[in-house]
Amino acid sequence: MTLLLVQMTTVLLTALLCGWIARKLGQARVIGEILGGILIGPSVFGRIAPHSWATLFPQSSFASFEILSTIGLILFLFLIGSELDYEHLRQQRGTATLASGMSILFPFIMAAMVAHSLRIRFAPDGIGSIPFVLFLGISMSITAFPVLARILEERGLQSTPLGTTALMCAAVDDVCAWMLLAIALTLLPHSEHSMGLHYRFLLLCGYLVVMLGVVRPLGNWLVRRKDSIAFSYELLGIIVAIALSSAAATEAIGVHPLFGAFLAGVCFPRIKSWQVAIRTRVDTIVSVLLLPLFFALTGMRTRLDLLTGSRIWFWMGVVLIVAVAGKMGGAVLAARWTGQSWQNAVALGALLNTRGLVELIVLNIAYNAHVFSPTLFTMLVVMALVTTMITTPVLNLLGIEDRGQKGHDLAVLATAD
């Protein structure tokens, strides 16, 4: 327990400092938190003082650390889902549907085009071309939903038409990516998953029926009874329990707990006072303590020391170009075909180009399944960080208003008055 508390203190202070520096440099706070994790991880702190790093962060201590941070991420995604604006979604449904499909298809095709060259150079021996293409395509096409949600929240865009469309596209992208991942895992010669793919689909369909056919109508019933039901301590506990149970259900099915948490938020009754109350009571501890643990842990698992030599950096550039051109290109074209302006189309492409945490989860699965070599794994990690870092500069270049910073400035002025 002492070690865990010291680790949490170190990570929290590092994340706060690096997040503050990132905001001063015009980046999202999450970028600073991930880079802070790299600083206190094996790439920097571990190389400067390896014995001290091994004492402070032994591998055996990461399990409880990861559980705490994942719980925070689950609660955060529930909050994001609970604030989705249905009206904005109806208005943007054409763009959301086409953009999500194109932002998966384009990068997947481009990844397949370079897969052979990467496989013969960086794949471990014995990996077939089809599993490698599937894993590489998933790595290129996935959107880091939690990182995207954090960026939108920091800029105050999560309830705007652009933010709602981006969140729904990312949600669809992630569901498709997890389904493709399940297929890819079944094609490996030594798959550890005992549940068949058809059983997963059946269980997922049953789960969706329960959530959308039972839980969401119950939420609509509560909306009609809102004047006779007060938002109490007990009701808050029930809501959080439903969110955790939904995340547990999708984890058991083999999709991902983050999807279950988000869908629980989507089913949350749209009662403004309840939304404000749950945001106020849950968000503070999640955003200040638990989320930085998740982002920092991700950074601590990144090994930048594996990128050496001009040949590695050449293929690093190829991976980065394919990832950005495929993801942004597909989303921008889809948005333009549905009548969006160039500004909104490019902004949507930049948002969906955000990778990061979910990408790193997929990469770790592929690495543990011996599909990616350590070098290719590190190249894809760097690609995920770079594509996430360019999101904020592109939004600023397009003139997309940072409502979060504006709201903060207005609050400071009001306090001064």
Side-chain angles (χ1 to χ4, degrees):
M1 177 59 70
T2 301
L3 178 62
L4 177 62
L5 294 175
V6 172
Q7 288 175 331
M8 293 175 65
T9 301
T10 303
V11 168
L12 178 60
L13 294 178
T14 303
L16 288 173
L17 175 61
C18 294
W20 178 80
I21 293 175
R23 289 295 286 171
K24 289 296 183 181
L25 295 176
Q27 279 289 343
R29 186 176 288 108
V30 60
I31 298 299
E33 291 169 350
I34 295 177
L35 292 178
I38 294 177
L39 290 177
I40 60 177
S43 297
V44 181
F45 183 28
R47 289 180 65 86
I48 296 175
H51 296 293
S52 299
W53 182 81
T55 301
L56 182 59
F57 295 107
Q59 291 295 323
S60 59
S61 67
F62 280 7
S64 56
F65 202 67
E66 184 172 7
I67 289 173
L68 283 174
S69 59
T70 304
I71 291 174
L73 189 59
I74 287 171
L75 293 175
F76 175 71
L77 284 181
F78 168 73
L79 293 177
I80 293 298
S82 69
E83 294 182 346
L84 276 184
D85 192 316
Y86 293 153
E87 185 59 33
H88 285 165
L89 179 59
R90 293 189 193 98
Q91 295 172 357
Q92 303 292 324
R93 61 183 180 274
T95 301
T97 302
L98 187 58
S100 60
M102 295 286 283
S103 63
I104 294 175
L105 183 61
F106 266 49
F108 209 101
I109 292 174
M110 295 188 70
M113 293 170 61
V114 300
H116 177 71
S117 298
L118 291 174
R119 186 170 71 89
I120 62 178
R121 290 172 173 84
F122 302 110
D125 294 334
I127 294 299
S129 59
I130 294 179
F132 185 84
V133 169
L134 284 175
F135 275 103
L136 185 65
I138 294 167
S139 301
M140 295 289 191
S141 60
I142 201 168
T143 296
F145 189 94
V147 177
L148 171 62
R150 191 78 183 272
I151 291 174
L152 291 173
E153 184 189 38
E154 288 182 1
R155 297 182 70 91
L157 298 174
Q158 69 271 26
S159 297
T160 63
L162 175 62
T164 302
T165 304
L167 285 173
M168 292 308 299
C169 289
V172 174
D173 284 2
D174 279 4
V175 172
C176 294
W178 292 118
M179 291 295 100
L180 289 172
L181 185 62
I183 295 173
L185 288 170
T186 61
L187 296 176
L188 295 177
H190 301 290
S191 177
E192 298 178 358
H193 292 271
S194 59
M195 187 185 299
L197 185 61
H198 56 290
Y199 287 117
R200 290 189 185 187
F201 279 115
L202 287 175
L203 289 174
L204 179 60
C205 291
Y207 162 79
L208 293 174
V209 168
V210 171
M211 293 300 293
L212 300 178
V214 178
V215 177
R216 187 178 176 187
L218 178 60
N220 294 334
W221 177 79
L222 290 174
V223 171
R224 295 191 295 270
R225 297 286 304 276
K226 63 181 180 180
D227 294 333
S228 59
I229 302 177
F231 190 87
S232 61
Y233 177 85
E234 291 76 16
L235 183 58
L236 174 63
I238 293 173
I239 291 172
V240 173
I242 291 174
L244 295 177
S245 300
S246 179
T250 52
E251 167 70 10
I253 293 171
V255 179
H256 199 273
L258 305 186
F259 174 66
F262 174 73
L263 189 59
V266 172
C267 297
F268 184 80
R270 291 316 191 253
I271 303 174
K272 189 64 177 179
S273 59
W274 289 19
Q275 291 174 297
V276 172
I278 197 168
R279 159 68 69 169
T280 302
R281 299 184 186 187
V282 176
D283 181 60
T284 301
I285 190 65
V286 169
S287 295
V288 172
L289 178 61
L290 297 180
L291 276 185
L293 295 181
F294 193 96
F295 293 121
L297 184 61
T298 301
M300 290 173 63
R301 290 174 171 171
T302 304
R303 295 291 306 273
L304 299 180
D305 54 309
L306 296 179
L307 296 182
T308 56
S310 58
R311 183 177 69 94
I312 299 297
W313 282 106
F314 169 77
W315 285 106
M316 175 73 251
V318 171
V319 167
L320 186 59
I321 292 172
V322 169
V324 174
K327 194 70 175 175
M328 286 193 67
V332 170
L333 288 176
R336 285 293 296 164
W337 286 343
T338 56
Q340 297 292 319
S341 65
W342 275 109
Q343 182 191 41
N344 286 339
V346 177
L348 180 62
L351 288 169
L352 294 183
N353 192 46
T354 301
R355 290 176 176 86
L357 295 178
V358 181
E359 164 85 357
L360 292 175
I361 294 172
V362 173
L363 294 180
N364 276 285
I365 293 173
Y367 181 78
N368 292 333
H370 306 291
V371 178
F372 294 160
S373 66
T375 302
L376 181 57
F377 172 81
T378 304
M379 290 164 60
L380 292 170
V381 167
V382 173
M383 177 270 290
L385 292 175
V386 172
T387 54
T388 305
M389 291 176 67
I390 65 176
T391 301
T392 297
V394 171
L395 293 178
N396 292 336
L397 186 63
L398 293 171
I400 303 297
E401 184 180 16
D402 189 343
R403 300 186 178 190
Q405 183 63 40
K406 182 179 179 180
H408 172 74
D409 295 341
L410 290 176
V412 171
L413 290 174
T415 303
D417 292 341

